[in-house]
Amino acid sequence: MIIAEGTTQAAGGPQHGLTAEAYRSEEFWQRECRTVLAKNWVFIGFAHQIANPGDANPVTCADLPLLTVRGQNGNIQVFHNVCLHRCMTLVDKPKNVGKLIRCPYHAWAYDLDGNLRAAPHFAGTGKQEFDGFDIKKHRLKPVRTHVWHDWIFVNLDGNAPDFEDYAAPLISRLEGMDFTKVDPIGLLNFGEIDTNWKLIMENFIEPYHVQFVHASTTDQPLEKHYTITDGTCIGSAVDLNEELGTSGSLGVSSRYLTLYPNFILGRYFPDQLGVYLNVPVGPGKMCQYRALYTTEGQKLSAEEIEALRNLWWDVHKEDHEMVERMFEGRKSPVAQDGGLLSPAWEDSVRAFQDLIERDVAGA
């Protein structure tokens, strides 16, 4: 059975987590692709990485090849990264494609809005159209796209609520932030991580591990933390009486917020923001990136930025070891009941898992 029985809290006892199969099973992963990653708004990329018209970046979502493109008008659109001719992926690495996206196989070409502009010799030498085939009626298949500040989201099935409604619980917790003064200052690429993507999400939204795993990189006492469970926004926060600064320490008041299913935002007062791109690749593989931002127009020197990069690299590597070992532990029959969740510090984890269960039940 994929979902553990009795996941709700029993009288006098703690809740259990998802069963081991929810993290290791190929069947469960395929169900997630059809539901969790198709029905919701999923984070797939950073707008600042495709800053110029013609910039294109291949990405994946729910095991599907997609392509983010900056159009001539400056807008961003996501398409299925598949040529209409023989279904070849059109772009295989980030680049500027100019005014046309050309398939390398037979030179079919699409403009930045996805319209088919050329199908060379498709109907014979020097001919590309014939009865029943009009290139004006063919275009790349678009994916429902929303760009929220620097962050690109897609909804594969097209049926999710409007993004502002879907993300309202998160947006309300960022009230007062001037996003016109949020500037990217760096990107960390952690590559592939040998774990299930849900373990990364669960790790971020519970504060229980912080004083143990991050003892050398944080100064945020457990008793100052609290959890957040608000619909699609799940996470935790810490309020400190004294701020130690953000350039070399995590000893600051912070908000650790997620937007279900895979968007992570960390706000570190008074002047720093971090956003994580977590890309599920399969039951036991994921990729992670972290973009660093300053807020309120804060200017950091090159040395301060490098110190931040090093700090966050160390923090994430501490987490990666934990989530890889949790994934390994789910090989054991001991993990079949999902383990035990703290009612004080991991109710946020259970809230995330409840959303997963809700979605996959409709597969």
Side-chain angles (χ1 to χ4, degrees), residues 157-175:
D157 75 358
N159 296 320
D162 289 344
F163 182 85
E164 289 78 6
D165 294 330
Y166 182 89
L170 171 63
I171 294 171
S172 68
R173 293 181 180 276
L174 298 172
E175 186 176 0

Side-chain angles (χ1 to χ4, degrees), residues 220-233:
Q220 296 179 328
L222 180 61
E223 65 269 17
K224 299 292 186 179
H225 287 79
Y226 53 94
T227 58
I228 295 169
T229 57
D230 184 10
T232 55
C233 179

